[in-house]
Amino acid sequence: MDNTNDKKQIFERIPVPQAVRIMAVPMIISQVIVLIYNMADTFYVGRTNNPYMVAGISMLLPVFNLTLSLSGLAGIGGGTLISRLLGENREEEARKVSAFCVWLAIVMAACFSIGIAMFMMPLLGLLGAGENTMAYARQYTFCVLVVGGIPTVLSNVFSNFVRSVGYSRKASTGIALGGILNIILDPLFMFVLLPRGYEVLGVGIATCISNCVACLYFLQMLYKTRGSHVISLNIKRGLPSAKSIFSVFEVGFPSAIATLLFDLDYVVLDKLMVGYGDIPLAAIGIVLKAERFPLNVGIGLCQGMIPLVAYNFAARNYRRMDEIVRFSRMVGLIVGVVSICVYELGAEYLLRFFISDSATVALGTNFVRTRILAMPFMFTCFFTVDTFNAFGWGGIALLLGVTRWAVINIPMLFLLNALFGMYGLVWSQLISDCMMAAISVFVYMSWRKRAGLNVKTREA
């Protein structure tokens, strides 16, 4: 078993490319597996060749992502603070922060699930569910969000915490476990255990069980490794300081708001696309999942980078911190450029992997070839926000998130839809992210200079 000193070596001394690889590669793998299991739902449902079933589960993506918003508030806000506290050698405070954030996540997830159960019908109507898709959307919502809400949120919070103390491989194992199990259970419930016509219900049950298993994995892992890390569920240790609680929300709240606005962007996109029919809605639903592969690779890279940056920022090792940021950014941009080449060449095959309906494939192929062009710029945007989160500068991260979604992306959807119709909705992502990437780089460079993070004069 890895000991505490081994973990400190990753944060402090191992060469940057190797440290980023140790922390990021497991997270990238787990993110890819998460993507595969999310895509597996659409893939298996697509085998029914029923676009209404596909649309029914696709429209739930924004609401499902709300669980990521809740887990981000507690998990990212708490996880980045834990890494910074370790950099300051304040282990007892880190234990109190972890316990506080776990119970915060449980309360928030319980309220979320109860709210979804109470207002399911109007919510689905708001998302665009109609006569052909409502029943499927209800089945999926009940299993994944009402029953599975708490374990889904907790497994993501635990993943952030385990990664924040250097156990990146164990963090990725827990998330990957849920994903692999979901891929196995989907066809079992859809085509073996449940009768025909209940395929969406089968997908929902499989997803719920998978998330519960992932949560149980983290609980037993934390129990077995107790004493070798600072993660605690014992609220009896007492609350963290008011400053620490504020710091959790200072980073976690902007992360949650950014996810909410990201979801709102999807809701608006789906709502506007509904006006062009169920087939375009099904096509954009598949595309939004298909384009997540390079995005999830970038997310995994950032998840591995954040604890390293946060630790070295708190330890005032600005030179190493800067090397980590530069190396991670370079790798992410390379992934973005490569993804453009791959998706432009293989777009049609990608769509046919999910569904054989020719109309859906034709529209989806055009959609994905356009939206993938935004990937390098999209990565630049969320990479910059994650870097600010690692610093604990949540206010700037919030400013960038609100600017990206509320000021640029969402208004751009309405504008281009009015001017160019359906394809204006598709082009909005590229135009918006080009603008926001430039703003993000400018803000990052300006605030680095303002904060005095000059590696030439301020080293460890």
Side-chain angles (χ1 to χ4, degrees):
M1 183 182 300
D2 295 323
N3 57 44
T4 303
N5 288 332
D6 290 335
K7 296 306 171 187
K8 291 193 71 173
Q9 294 297 314
I10 296 173
F11 287 107
E12 296 178 354
R13 299 189 181 279
I14 289 177
V16 165
Q18 184 180 353
V20 172
R21 176 181 59 80
I22 291 171
M23 293 293 289
V25 169
M27 298 315 304
I28 291 172
I29 293 172
S30 69
Q31 282 295 319
V32 170
I33 293 174
V34 166
L35 171 66
I36 291 172
Y37 98 72
N38 283 332
M39 291 169 64
D41 289 353
T42 305
F43 169 76
Y44 286 122
V45 173
R47 296 307 91 194
T48 66
N49 208 29
N50 185 334
Y52 302 120
M53 285 188 176
V54 175
I57 66 172
S58 297
M59 70 177 62
L60 265 296
L61 180 61
V63 184
F64 178 77
N65 284 342
L66 288 176
T67 62
L68 302 181
S69 178
L70 297 177
S71 60
L73 195 157
I76 296 177
T80 57
L81 177 58
I82 289 171
S83 294
R84 293 197 302 276
L85 289 171
L86 292 178
E88 297 171 352
N89 294 314
R90 299 173 60 194
E91 294 187 358
E92 182 59 28
E93 183 70 2
R95 291 187 178 91
K96 293 179 180 180
V97 166
S98 65
F100 169 77
C101 289
V102 167
W103 287 101
L104 174 66
I106 291 173
V107 172
M108 291 190 300
C111 293
F112 173 76
S113 294
I114 293 171
I116 292 292
M118 293 176 61
F119 302 103
M120 186 184 300
M121 292 296 288
L123 173 64
L124 296 179
L126 177 65
L127 293 173
E131 180 181 353
N132 296 319
T133 57
M134 179 63 78
Y136 303 127
R138 288 181 64 189
Q139 293 170 5
Y140 196 70
T141 301
F142 178 79
C143 294
V144 176
L145 300 179
V146 176
V147 179
I150 291 178
T152 300
V153 170
L154 277 182
S155 60
N156 281 282
V157 170
F158 287 143
S159 176
N160 277 287
F161 285 2
V162 171
R163 187 176 64 252
S164 72
V165 296
Y167 289 96
S168 184
R169 184 175 299 177
K170 293 184 183 296
S172 68
T173 299
I175 297 299
L177 175 64
I180 294 171
L181 184 60
N182 192 82
I183 294 169
I184 296 172
L185 293 181
D186 268 353
L188 177 64
F189 279 96
M190 290 177 65
F191 305 124
V192 178
L193 298 180
L194 296 181
R196 187 171 183 177
Y198 289 88
E199 288 84 357
V200 172
L201 178 62
V203 166
I205 294 173
T207 302
C208 179
I209 292 174
S210 302
N211 288 327
C212 289
V213 171
C215 185
L216 291 174
Y217 163 83
F218 281 116
L219 287 172
Q220 66 84 28
M221 173 258 159
L222 291 172
Y223 178 78
K224 287 185 177 180
T225 58
R226 65 192 185 281
S228 64
H229 54 72
V230 297
I231 303 172
S232 172
L233 279 66
N234 185 8
I235 198 69
K236 293 181 180 179
R237 288 180 176 272
L239 291 175
S241 67
K243 182 180 179 181
S244 292
I245 294 175
F246 176 80
S247 183
V248 168
F249 286 98
E250 184 182 19
V251 172
F253 183 71
S255 176
I257 292 297
T259 303
L260 288 173
L261 292 174
F262 177 81
D263 292 339
L264 180 59
D265 181 74
Y266 270 22
V267 170
V268 172
L269 177 58
D270 281 349
K271 197 71 174 177
L272 293 175
M273 195 64 78
V274 164
Y276 299 100
D278 287 326
I279 301 301
L281 178 62
I284 197 65
I286 293 174
V287 168
L288 291 177
K289 289 197 172 185
E291 70 182 15
R292 293 284 301 190
F293 178 80
L295 186 59
N296 277 36
V297 171
I299 290 172
L301 176 63
C302 287
Q303 288 179 343
M305 172 203 73
I306 286 175
L308 297 172
V309 172
Y311 184 99
N312 284 282
F313 176 76
R316 299 183 179 273
N317 190 346
Y318 299 121
R319 178 176 291 280
R320 183 173 176 83
M321 178 199 77
D322 231 28
E323 290 176 1
I324 294 167
V325 169
R326 286 198 302 267
F327 179 78
S328 302
R329 182 174 57 222
M330 178 191 67
V331 174
L333 291 176
I334 290 173
V335 170
V337 172
V338 171
S339 68
I340 291 177
C341 299
V342 173
Y343 276 57
E344 292 293 339
L345 293 173
E348 182 177 349
Y349 301 102
L350 182 64
L351 267 293
R352 289 193 183 279
F353 179 77
F354 290 101
I355 194 168
S356 59
D357 179 70
S358 58
T360 306
V361 169
L363 277 177
T365 298
N366 292 330
F367 289 173
V368 77
R369 282 176 172 163
T370 300
R371 285 182 61 90
I372 196 63
L373 297 173
M375 196 55 60
F377 306 101
M378 188 181 299
F379 172 80
T380 300
C381 294
F382 70 73
F383 176 84
T384 306
V385 169
D386 282 341
T387 303
F388 280 124
N389 283 333
F391 294 163
W393 297 348
I396 308 172
L398 178 61
L399 174 65
L400 290 176
V402 171
T403 301
R404 182 182 181 191
W405 300 112
V407 178
I408 298 179
N409 284 56
I410 294 175
M412 190 68 69
L413 283 170
F414 286 103
L415 176 63
L416 295 186
N417 180 57
L419 294 176
F420 303 107
M422 181 174 66
Y423 279 95
L425 296 175
V426 179
W427 278 97
S428 66
Q429 189 70 54
L430 174 60
I431 296 172
S432 299
D433 280 340
C434 283
M435 297 170 59
M436 193 61 214
I439 294 172
S440 297
V441 172
F442 173 78
V443 171
Y444 177 72
M445 298 306 296
S446 299
W447 276 89
R448 274 185 55 85
K449 183 177 180 180
R450 184 172 178 177
L453 300 184
N454 185 345
V455 296
K456 292 182 179 180
T457 58
R458 300 185 67 183
E459 302 178 7

